[in-house]
């Protein structure tokens, strides 16, 4: 078996599947006996299907919703509420990255938090600087900045070719949530 070298992996782009790819990677890692943590920077307050999985997988797979949900108007949260939640998620990520309790940490939607100005590029880069050599770190969300792309070991861009929303088909259980 080869020596483990922790990678930085980025799933970005305007197409669907960034979180799904990251969760698939988490499931693969879990299947190899690894400990997996998913920190969701935006999702919160809504019951997504993936939240039903960790209790069935046991203590080696954990998902924490740390966000306040969608940042658009109408959800009852201010941008300051979203900023505070993102800062808390960033602190939690920093703590877990250095604690050594997990082999793979997924920072789900961290790039959205960056895009919406809830956290800064400098803060995300500082987080990457904390990564120990054995830890795999996955970042998801649209519009990965060049600095993060340059720093990553793998970058996959999801590109929308066709989407059912454009035909007026709403979000489907088991597909979008």
């Amino acid at each position: 078996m080869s020596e483990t070298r922790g990678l930085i992996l980025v799933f970005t782009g305007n197409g669907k599947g960034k979180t799904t790819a990251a969760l698939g990677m988490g499931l693969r890692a879990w299947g190899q006996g690894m400990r997996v943590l998913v920190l969701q920077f935006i999702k919160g307050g809504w019951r997504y299907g993936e939240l039903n999985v960790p209790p069935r997988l046991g203590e080696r797979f954990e998902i924490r919703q740390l966000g306040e949900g969608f940042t658009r108007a109408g959800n009852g949260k201010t941008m300051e509420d979203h900023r505070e939640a993102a800062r808390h998620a960033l602190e939690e990520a920093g703590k877990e990255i250095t604690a050594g309790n997990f082999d793979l940490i997924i920072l789900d939607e961290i790039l959205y938090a960056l895009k919406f100005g809830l956290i800064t590029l400098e803060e995300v880069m500082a987080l990457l600087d904390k990564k120990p050599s054995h830890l795999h770190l996955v970042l998801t969300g649209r519009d990965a900045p060049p600095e993060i792309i340059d720093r990553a070991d793998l970058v996959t861009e999801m590109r929308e070719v066709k989407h059912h929303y454009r035909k007026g088909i709403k979000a489907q259980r088991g597909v979008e949530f």
Side-chain angles (χ1 to χ4, degrees), residues 7-111:
L7 303 173
I8 296 174
L9 307 111
V10 175
F11 297 115
T12 192
N14 71 338
K16 181 178 170 14
K18 295 172 287 292
T19 295
T20 305
L23 290 172
M25 184 168 284
L27 188 57
R28 175 177 283 166
W30 178 88
Q32 291 291 342
M34 297 169 78
R35 298 160 297 159
V36 178
L37 174 63
V38 180
L39 298 176
Q40 295 183 317
F41 275 70
I42 301 293
K43 289 178 182 147
W46 203 25
R47 194 74 188 162
Y48 292 86
E50 62 260 26
L51 297 177
N52 297 323
V53 174
R56 295 176 180 162
L57 295 180
E59 63 185 34
R60 286 189 296 109
F61 198 106
E62 185 178 339
I63 298 177
R64 298 180 199 162
Q65 281 190 321
L66 301 172
E68 293 290 348
F70 297 113
T71 57
R72 67 177 177 257
N75 76 347
K77 301 293 180 180
T78 67
M79 283 309 284
E80 189 50 42
D81 293 332
H82 290 290
R83 251 185 235 97
E84 187 176 318
R87 295 228 178 276
H88 170 70
L90 199 64
E91 289 171 13
E92 188 86 3
K95 181 181 80 175
E96 293 296 355
I97 285 170
T98 58
N101 297 323
F102 296 94
D103 303 297
L104 172 71
I105 297 178
I106 298 168
L107 305 176
D108 188 34
E109 301 175 328
I110 190 171
L111 300 176

Side-chain angles (χ1 to χ4, degrees), residues 1 12 32 38 51 75 83 89 91 106 112 116 119 124-125 130 147-148:
M1 182 177 245
T12 192
Q32 291 291 342
V38 180
L51 297 177
N75 76 347
R83 251 185 235 97
E91 289 171 13
I106 298 168
Y112 285 120
F116 299 142
I119 57 177
V124 177
M125 297 305 282
K130 292 180 181 182
E147 295 87 346
I148 290 176

Side-chain angles (χ1 to χ4, degrees), residues 115-129:
K115 175 182 177 168
F116 299 142
L118 305 178
I119 57 177
T120 68
L121 178 60
E122 292 75 24
E123 290 170 316
V124 177
M125 297 305 282
L127 197 61
L128 298 180
D129 289 339

